[in-house]
Structures are given as C-alpha cells and as structure tokens.
RNA sequence: GCCCGGGUAGCUCAGUUGGUUAGAGCGCCUGUCUUGUAAACAGGGGGUCAAGGGUUCGAAUCCCUUCUCGGGCUCCA
C-alpha cells in the first residue's frame, strides 16, 4: 500500500507526491519559482485552487500569473476584495456580480436610498482593500444547499436572484440544489465558482479606476447599479506599464489631436455629434476620399449620387422605419401631410437606381458607389467624437449580382477592402462573422444560414482568423466585418460586407436572365471606411497625428535662416508646389529653433532649412520627422525622396 | 435615454470658507532682434466665468433647469 500518488504533467512526465498533496505542493515540488508564480491549477481539465487536494492519476498543469487564466484569477480575486471593502465600509450596501474583464475587473453594488460612490469613496475603498490584502485572508471554497445559501444571502436580493437561477452570473455556477461559495474569513463570503488565489496577500497591484452606472443584468428596464471598475496585474511593473499605455492612448485621442492640429471641431451652435472639418483636416479627408474614388473606379464601381432627404414610404418599404425609427431624426411634415426623413443610410436609394429600368444579366454585377452623407439620431449618451457622430459620410457601395456570382463578388470585395486598408497603413486584421439577430430580423432561417455559409466560406478561403459574433448581423442579412489593430494594439471594427436576400425582395428587384426569365438579384452591402469621419479618427489615432507624407496637410515647411534667404525660400516653395507638393514657409521673424519646434509640434514630415550655403549651392538642409538632420541635399534629390514617400504611402 | 463627473481667454489650467476692476503659460497682434536645426525680448488686445432662473447686502463659487463634454450602461441599420 503506497502513501504516494502519481500525477501526470502536461509534458507527459510523472511525479510522485505524498498522499494528500495539493496543487500548490505539486508546484513547489517542481520548483520554487513556479510555486511563486502559480495562481491556480488545472486538474483533469478543471481549474482548481492551489489548496485543491490531488488524487492518484490526476492530470495537472500549473497555471501561473503569466497565463491568461491566472491573470483572470488575480483580477477575479481582487474583485472579491473590492466587494468585501465596500460591504465593510457602506452600511446597507448590497452586491450583485463582479467578474474579471480585459485589463481588470468590476463589481456592481447597490447602496441604500439610491446612494452613489464619490471619488473620495474610491480612495477609502482602496485603502480598505489594501488592509484586507495585508491580512492575508484565505479564500475558502465551500458547497452549500440552495436553502442555506438563500438564508446566508437573505439581505442581498441580487445574490438571491442568482441562487434561484433567475439571473445568470458567469462567476457563480450553480447546479441543482448546490451553491458554491468562497469565504474570506472573518466576515466576507460570496457566491462563486472560483477558483481563487490562495489568500488575499497574493494580490495588491491594482488601481480603482472609475465609478459608472450599469443596469442590473444589462437591461435598461432594471435598476441601475453602481459599478466600480479597477485594473489589476501580477506585478507593479505591469500595472505601471498598463497605466502608461492608457496615457499613451489618451495622448493620441483623436478629439484632442483634432484640436491641437486644427483638423476639425464640433461647434456647439451646430449641435451634438455634428462636425466641421477645418482646412487641414479637409486636406487629409479629401485625399483619403480621392484615393478611395480612384481605387473604386479601377475596381469596376460606378459612381452615383442620392439626396439627403426622402419621403417616409421609402424607409417603410425598406423596413428601416420598423426597426430604427428611434434612431432617425424626426420627420419634416409638408403641407399635404407628406413626411420627409433625413436619410440614415443609402441602400434604398441605390436599390431605386437599380430598379429604374429593366436590368439584364449582362449588366451584372452592377456595383454602385457613393460617399453618402447620412444622419442618425444617436442617443445623447453615445455620441463620441468622430467615432460616433450624428451626421457622417459612408463610403457606401451596393453590388447587385446573381446568386451564383455572389461568392466571387464577396471574395473580390474582401480582397479589395483588405488591400485598400493596407494602403491606408493598417495591416493587422481578423474577421468577424455576425449572424442573425434574435429579434430585429427579416427572412427565413434557411435564407440566413445560406448567406452565413457563403460569408464563412469566403472568409476562411482568405485564410483569415474568423471570430463569431452571434446575433450581431443587420436585420436584412449577416455580415463579415474586418477588425484592424492599430499602432498601439487596439482593435477597431473597420469594413463590413453584408449579404442581403431581403431588400431585393422587398423592392421586388429583378433582372432578365439568359433564359429570358425574370430573376431576383442578391445584394451585397459593403463599406470600407464605414464612416469617413470614423476612419479619419482611426487613422489620426493610429498615426498619433503624424500622418504619412501622402496624407499630411503640409508635407514640407521651408525655413529661411535669415530674412535675406526669404527669396530663395519663396522660390523653393513655388518649385515644390508646382511639383505637386503641399509646402509652406515661415519667414525669419523669430529664431530658427523656435520655428523648427513649431513645425515639429505640427508633426510635419519634412522641415527644410535654407541659409547662406544653400542659396550659394542650390541645396537644402533636410530635417525629417523622426530622423536626423541632413545638410547640403540638392533640391532634385529632396523632391525625388518626397515623391517616393508619397508614392509608397510611407 | 440612464448613472457618475465636468464646462473660467483660441488652447492648457489657477481662482481659499461666497467679498473690490477674474489671473498665468502658450497662441494671437505690434515693435525690437537677423537668427544653421525643438521655446529671443518688450508691449498690447482678448473672458456678460456654457445659457437661463433662484438664494444672498454681495455668486465663477451655493441651489434649480436647459445645453454641452468626458467615463460607463443600454444601443449602434
């Protein structure tokens, strides 16, 4: 009879441990560094606490703080400490759910009499949390009956809802009649599936970030709870790195850069969510649009235009008024009682263009493109800079084709958008596939399945990583959307491609086939920027305002050293302009250093300094953004260099 | 729309427990300086303190309403 048990590790090796050994003991037997880094273990595929006793024959892997699951455990345990602190400090407070999330955790609370947390409260809570951490309270797992749990949590109505199964909490799996809890003695206990760190002393590298409102169970009809968000990391270094990253992101916030670089603004006189583009922003935008137009022309798209307002019946027919009337600006009523709406989208107009005459299969695929300005009455709380505006231009295309042509057209459209996004400087993508919404959808399940399969096949054929987004489609069809990572690793939803069998039916579209019979076309909705304004914002943040030469509002600034170099500088600017570049100069009214500094703060790609030597020899001093100063460069060489930058989009 | 926190000069901000004509830096204008690679010097103009109402002898400051911005929730055709 052996007093040893045998454990199998992930690499297939085996280890002998004493009877009763725990996950933590196993980690310690492998090495002290592992024991220190260990957070939880995976025992036969289930995550367990470090104090979990092992049995002979278990397959175990040690999960450390560098593993995502380990990190999530640290965050989850920190959320428990937050809850303990709040319940401790606020009489009558009750708690709901508190999961780990990306970069941190949150916990939802309800304070008596509709109370709310203040920033000062956060400091007090933070201080109490650090005391709890110092106390090294263990996390003790238990399983109790539902009746016992209801008694234990009788003062906490949200917990009781979870125990009864009336509300879901991903963190507290309950089974029939059995409720799992974790206790931090002496006084805190929470419903929880676990696992958790060994004791609260394992935690500490956290920061409470903000207070926010959040509806119970995410439903706006439910009471609003007070949510406290925090961030938590395995080490101080990682916490600080995260906070630094937040600062970086804040520095490149397009709303801030838009003001600093004088690109656009949101005058209060116009209204929330409605932007004006200033001259410099206008140049960038115009070049973005011009390039897009040129590429669309090459790719066989035809350009159309449609008005900004339409009679209501158009959107009744399309179905948009059924689903999105709340999101539209209210109608203008004319004398005869006719209602006109600002258009929230362009599809029905393009459909009318398709339907304006009898179409032959020979005309298909018909690809209609428009920079169509649309207006959506976004709820006041969601408007955000250029990324969520109330008026914006879509680079909207609708491709009408036969069912048979659809897969090839979709593949072609996906290639096209990826290629074009790369030209704008984004090159790290994955694809999301959004399926039928639970409510808000028209068409049969079979039609939807068919369309989803087509999209799935197209995305997978491109070798793209595919992430499912269940229920995220438009009401008329599923969509694939390209997600792009920017320079600091954030992902943005960019282009969408949607396959639609519904609107052609609603508008009774047809074409005459080779068999001389009428057939129903299918429709592909496709936007590359989605919204020109939003794409502008993404690029602005991606480049942190340092636009590549092809997009930069001013590509070259010429600075004469003294005012007797002004004439040479002026001629140089004229020469650059006639070569097609955007150049300006700043006369020598203030020291060169000051003028250089201003140009750098404007993030210009090139500053040219011209002085005595340059006037004598016809050269320039080149000060490139992010590079070293080069002297005595001939004008020809500089022009060749700038031309190459523009051509390469670099 | 809901919860929390803001709104002072073009920008970034200061403005004690309510107390004279509301300040600074940058930017802007004028003058001086004549400059070789990230801030020359001097002077000047600029704010009905988001708007409206209230409390008070007195409001940028306290209260209410509206507008608006930020962080979240919900939403995003």
């Amino acid at each position: 009879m052996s007093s040893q048990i045998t454990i199998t590790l992930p690499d297939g090796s085996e280890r002998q441990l004493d009877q009763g050994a725990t996950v933590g003991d196993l980690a310690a037997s492998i090495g002290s560094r592992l024991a220190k880094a260990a957070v939880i273990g995976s025992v036969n595929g289930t995550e367990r606490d470090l104090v979990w006793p092992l049995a002979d024959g278990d397959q175990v892997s040690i999960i450390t703080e560098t593993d995502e699951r380990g990190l999530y455990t640290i965050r989850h345990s920190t959320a428990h400490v937050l809850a303990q602190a709040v319940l401790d400090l606020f009489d009558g407070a009750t708690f709901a759910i508190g999961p780990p999330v990306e970069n941190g955790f949150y916990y939802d609370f309800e304070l008596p009499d509709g109370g709310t947390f203040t920033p000062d409260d956060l400091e007090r809570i933070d201080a109490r949390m650090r005391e709890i951490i110092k106390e090294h309270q263990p996390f003790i797992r238990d399983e109790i009956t539902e009746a016992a749990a209801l008694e234990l949590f009788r003062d906490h109505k949200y917990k009781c809802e979870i125990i009864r199964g009336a509300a879901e909490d991903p963190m507290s799996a309950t089974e029939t009649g059995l409720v799992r809890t974790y206790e931090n003695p002496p006084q805190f206990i929470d419903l929880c599936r676990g696992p958790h760190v060994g004791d609260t002393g394992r935690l500490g590298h956290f920061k409470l970030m903000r207070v926010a409102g959040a509806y119970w169970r995410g439903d706006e009809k439910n009471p609003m709870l007070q949510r406290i968000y925090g961030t938590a990391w395995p080490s101080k270094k990682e916490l600080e790195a995260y906070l630094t990253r937040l600062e970086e992101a804040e520095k490149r916030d397009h709303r801030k850069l838009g003001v600093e670089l004088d690109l656009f603004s949101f005058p209060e006189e116009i209204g929330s969510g409605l932007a004006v583009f200033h001259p410099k922003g206008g140049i960038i935008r115009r070049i973005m649009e011009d390039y897009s137009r040129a590429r669309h022309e090459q790719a066989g798209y035809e350009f159309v235009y449609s008005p900004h307002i339409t009679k209501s019946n158009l959107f009744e027919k399309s179905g948009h008024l059924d689903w999105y009337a709340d999101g539209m600006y209210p109608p203008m009523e004319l004398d005869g009682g006719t209602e006109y709406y600002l258009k929230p989208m362009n599809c029905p107009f393009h459909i009318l263009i398709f339907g304006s005459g009898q179409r032959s299969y020979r005309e298909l695929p018909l690809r209609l493109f428009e920079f169509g300005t649309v207006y959506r009455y976004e709820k006041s709380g969601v408007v955000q800079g250029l990324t969520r505006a109330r008026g914006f231009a879509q680079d909207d295309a609708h491709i009408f084709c036969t069912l048979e042509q659809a897969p090839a057209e979709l593949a072609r459209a996906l290639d096209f958008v990826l290629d074009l996004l790369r030209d704008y400087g984004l090159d790290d993508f994955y694809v999301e596939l959004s399926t039928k919404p639970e409510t808000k959808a028209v068409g049969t399940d079979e039609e939807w399945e068919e369309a989803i399969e087509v999209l799935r096949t197209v995305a997978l054929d491109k070798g793209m990583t595919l992430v499912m987004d269940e229920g995220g489609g438009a009401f008329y069809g599923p969509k694939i959307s390209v997600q792009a990572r920017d320079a600091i690793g954030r992902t943005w939803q960019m282009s969408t491609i949607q396959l639609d069998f519904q609107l052609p039916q609603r508008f009774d579209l047809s074409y005459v086939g080779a068999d001389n019979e009428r057939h129903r076309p299918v429709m592909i909705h496709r936007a590359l920027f989605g919204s020109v304004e939003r794409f502008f914002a993404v690029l602005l943040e991606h480049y942190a305002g340092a636009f590549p030469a092809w997009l930069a509002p001013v590509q070259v600034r010429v600075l004469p050293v003294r005012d007797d170099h002004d004439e040479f500088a002026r001629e140089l600017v004229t020469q650059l302009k006639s070569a097609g570049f955007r150049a300006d100069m700043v006369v020598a009214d203030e020291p060169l250093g000051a003028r250089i500094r201003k140009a750098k703060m404007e993030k210009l790609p090139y500053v040219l300094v011209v002085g005595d030597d340059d006037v004598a020899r016809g050269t320039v001093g080149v000060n490139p953004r992010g590079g070293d100063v080069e002297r005595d460069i001939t004008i020809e060489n500089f022009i060749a260099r700038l031309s190459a930058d523009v051509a390469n989009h670099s």
Side-chain angles (χ1 to χ4, degrees):
Chain A
M1 157 125 192
S2 166
S3 63
Q4 297 250 298
I5 55 173
T6 303
I7 303 301
T8 308
L9 295 172
D11 63 2
S13 66
E14 296 188 339
R15 276 192 111 76
Q16 310 288 322
L17 293 170
D18 289 339
Q19 193 79 260
T22 64
V23 173
D25 294 335
L26 172 64
S29 80
I30 298 170
S32 62
R33 271 173 67 186
L34 183 65
K36 192 158 179 276
V39 180
I40 51 171
S42 170
V43 180
N44 303 323
T46 306
E47 291 176 15
R48 298 295 187 188
D49 300 325
L50 289 176
V51 295
W52 182 264
L54 295 171
D56 192 41
D58 280 348
Q59 308 251 349
V60 184
S61 64
I62 303 298
I63 296 173
T64 68
E65 59 193 25
T66 55
D67 186 290
E68 194 179 321
R69 290 167 298 169
L71 187 53
Y72 266 56
T73 301
I74 287 173
R75 290 172 179 160
H76 182 190
S77 298
T78 309
H80 277 234
V81 174
L82 168 62
Q84 179 178 167
V86 169
L87 262 48
D88 200 25
L89 292 171
F90 296 83
D91 271 349
T94 186
F95 57 152
I97 62 167
V101 292
E102 191 177 5
N103 299 322
F105 59 91
Y106 67 79
Y107 219 112
D108 286 347
F109 301 96
E110 188 173 68
L111 298 179
D113 309 315
T116 58
F117 294 110
T118 66
D120 286 347
D121 290 336
L122 282 191
E123 282 183 33
R124 288 170 55 211
I125 295 165
D126 181 279
R128 180 68 192 117
M129 285 174 73
R130 291 184 198 281
E131 286 171 15
I132 292 165
I133 285 166
K134 274 201 190 128
E135 287 167 19
H136 289 258
Q137 300 176 1
F139 280 84
I140 301 168
R141 185 177 189 276
D142 198 3
E143 292 180 352
I144 57 178
T145 64
E146 190 174 314
L150 286 172
E151 173 58 21
L152 191 58
F153 290 98
R154 65 180 181 278
D155 294 334
H156 298 288
K157 61 178 176 176
Y158 298 110
K159 292 295 180 190
C160 290
E161 278 193 47
I162 296 166
I163 294 165
R164 287 196 204 94
E168 291 220 353
D169 175 5
M171 290 299 109
S172 37
T174 52
E175 285 165 27
T176 43
L178 185 71
V179 174
R180 303 206 171 93
T181 61
Y182 269 82
E183 185 179 4
N184 292 122
Q187 55 180 14
F188 180 72
I189 187 161
D190 195 359
L191 289 183
C192 193
R193 174 192 67 193
H196 280 285
V197 298
D199 70 72
T200 56
R202 183 71 175 77
L203 310 171
H205 306 292
F206 73 93
K207 181 172 196 261
L208 298 183
M209 303 299 284
R210 61 181 66 94
V211 187
Y215 299 108
W216 167 234
R217 297 170 61 193
D219 187 330
E220 61 183 327
K221 291 180 204 74
N222 286 337
M224 180 156 282
L225 307 176
Q226 296 296 307
R227 174 171 299 178
I228 295 177
Y229 278 97
T231 187
W233 300 86
S235 69
K236 187 175 183 201
K237 197 172 154 193
E238 282 161 282
L239 171 63
E240 282 172 357
Y242 172 69
L243 296 175
T244 306
R245 249 181 295 146
L246 284 188
E247 279 172 33
E248 282 304 312
E250 202 176 321
K251 270 187 219 156
R252 55 173 75 208
D253 186 311
H254 75 276
R255 291 164 298 194
K256 191 174 154 76
L257 289 173
V259 173
E260 286 172 9
L261 301 176
D262 193 20
L263 303 177
F264 57 85
S265 61
F266 290 91
E268 286 206 13
E269 293 85 341
I270 299 177
S272 177
L274 300 167
V276 290
F277 277 70
H278 300 193
K280 282 180 186 156
I283 289 174
I284 298 165
R285 178 172 175 164
R286 200 205 76 230
I287 293 165
M288 282 169 54
E289 292 180 356
D290 284 351
Y291 183 70
S292 168
R293 279 199 192 87
R295 290 294 306 269
H296 277 85
E297 197 166 7
Q298 287 165 18
Y301 288 81
E302 298 179 80
F303 296 81
V304 298
Y305 294 87
S306 61
H308 289 209
I309 60 171
T310 175
K311 287 191 281 192
S312 58
N313 57 2
L314 186 64
F315 289 119
E316 282 160 16
K317 196 167 182 180
S318 70
H320 289 96
L321 267 175
D322 289 345
W323 305 121
Y324 297 107
D326 286 351
M328 291 166 68
Y329 274 88
M332 291 166 263
E333 192 175 317
L334 272 62
D335 291 343
T338 311
E339 289 184 333
Y340 279 80
Y341 279 95
L342 279 165
K343 67 172 171 183
M345 30 109 62
N346 305 296
C347 329
F349 298 85
H350 293 185
I351 289 170
L352 294 179
I353 294 169
F354 180 91
S356 65
Q358 190 161 69
R359 298 292 178 179
S360 155
Y361 74 98
R362 297 175 197 275
E363 294 176 75
L364 306 182
L366 182 67
R367 308 182 187 97
L368 303 181
F369 176 91
E370 174 178 15
F371 279 113
T373 302
V374 299
Y375 297 91
R376 297 179 180 180
Y377 191 74
E378 300 288 1
K379 287 196 274 185
S380 60
V382 309
V383 171
Q384 206 210 26
L386 290 177
T387 52
R388 193 84 180 268
R390 282 180 170 166
F392 57 93
Q394 293 183 310
D395 60 330
D396 212 357
H398 295 93
I399 301 169
F400 299 87
C401 62
T402 69
L403 183 58
E404 295 70 37
Q405 289 169 333
E409 274 304 304
L410 287 164
R412 201 183 127 103
L414 185 56
D415 273 341
F416 181 68
V417 300
L418 293 177
D419 193 42
L420 208 38
L421 286 175
R422 286 189 191 101
D423 277 344
Y424 287 99
L426 299 167
D427 52 16
D428 187 2
F429 310 116
Y430 68 95
V431 167
E432 201 168 86
L433 175 55
S434 304
T435 59
K436 189 178 181 183
E438 284 187 24
T439 50
K440 281 197 184 183
V442 295
T444 65
D445 286 349
E446 290 70 38
E447 287 171 319
W448 275 82
E449 268 317 304
E450 185 181 353
I452 288 166
E453 264 325 294
V454 172
L455 289 176
R456 188 198 309 275
T457 306
V458 166
L460 291 178
D461 282 355
K462 291 277 160 280
M464 305 286 295
T465 305
L466 189 67
V467 175
M468 295 305 293
D469 168 32
E470 298 294 343
F475 73 86
Y476 47 73
K479 72 177 179 197
I480 47 181
S481 53
V482 176
Q483 314 284 320
R485 286 186 194 83
D486 73 6
I488 56 171
R490 297 171 300 178
T491 58
W492 301 85
Q493 177 176 318
M494 306 286 4
S495 318
T496 63
I497 303 175
Q498 295 165 278
L499 180 55
D500 176 10
F501 299 147
Q502 304 304 325
L503 292 181
Q505 274 176 39
R506 284 181 165 249
F507 283 88
D508 195 25
L509 297 184
S510 67
Y511 66 90
V512 176
D515 57 1
N516 200 31
E517 298 289 325
R518 282 175 186 270
H519 299 274
R520 183 85 70 206
V522 300
M523 201 175 156
I524 296 167
H525 303 245
R526 187 242 66 162
L528 198 141
F529 297 157
S531 139
V532 177
E533 285 79 354
R534 198 179 109 91
F535 193 75
F536 185 102
V538 172
L539 285 188
L540 182 52
E541 300 205 2
H542 176 60
Y543 289 120
F547 283 99
W550 76 289
L551 287 169
V554 177
Q555 296 165 319
V556 189
R557 169 152 306 156
V558 180
L559 301 178
V561 174
R562 263 193 332 272
D563 58 7
D564 48 342
H565 308 125
D566 279 4
E567 195 186 332
F568 181 79
R570 228 179 300 275
E571 283 168 12
L572 180 56
V573 168
T574 305
Q575 190 179 348
L576 287 165
K577 280 187 173 169
S578 60
F581 299 114
R582 297 180 291 277
D584 65 11
M585 69 179 277
V586 175
V587 297
D589 271 349
E590 56 188 337
L592 182 63
R595 288 177 287 150
I596 298 265
R597 180 168 186 272
K598 280 172 190 162
K600 292 294 177 189
M601 291 199 298
E602 288 178 56
K603 301 175 191 268
L604 306 185
Y606 288 104
V607 177
L608 301 185
V609 174
V610 292
D612 290 334
D613 300 347
D614 302 295
V615 173
R617 287 180 256 170
T619 58
V620 296
V622 179
N623 186 334
R625 184 176 60 206
D628 295 330
V629 171
E630 301 158 51
R631 292 284 299 270
D632 306 318
I633 305 294
T634 65
I635 294 172
E636 293 69 32
N637 281 346
F638 174 72
I639 287 181
R641 175 170 171 180
L642 181 54
S643 298
D645 283 353
V646 170
N648 300 332
H649 287 191
S650 59

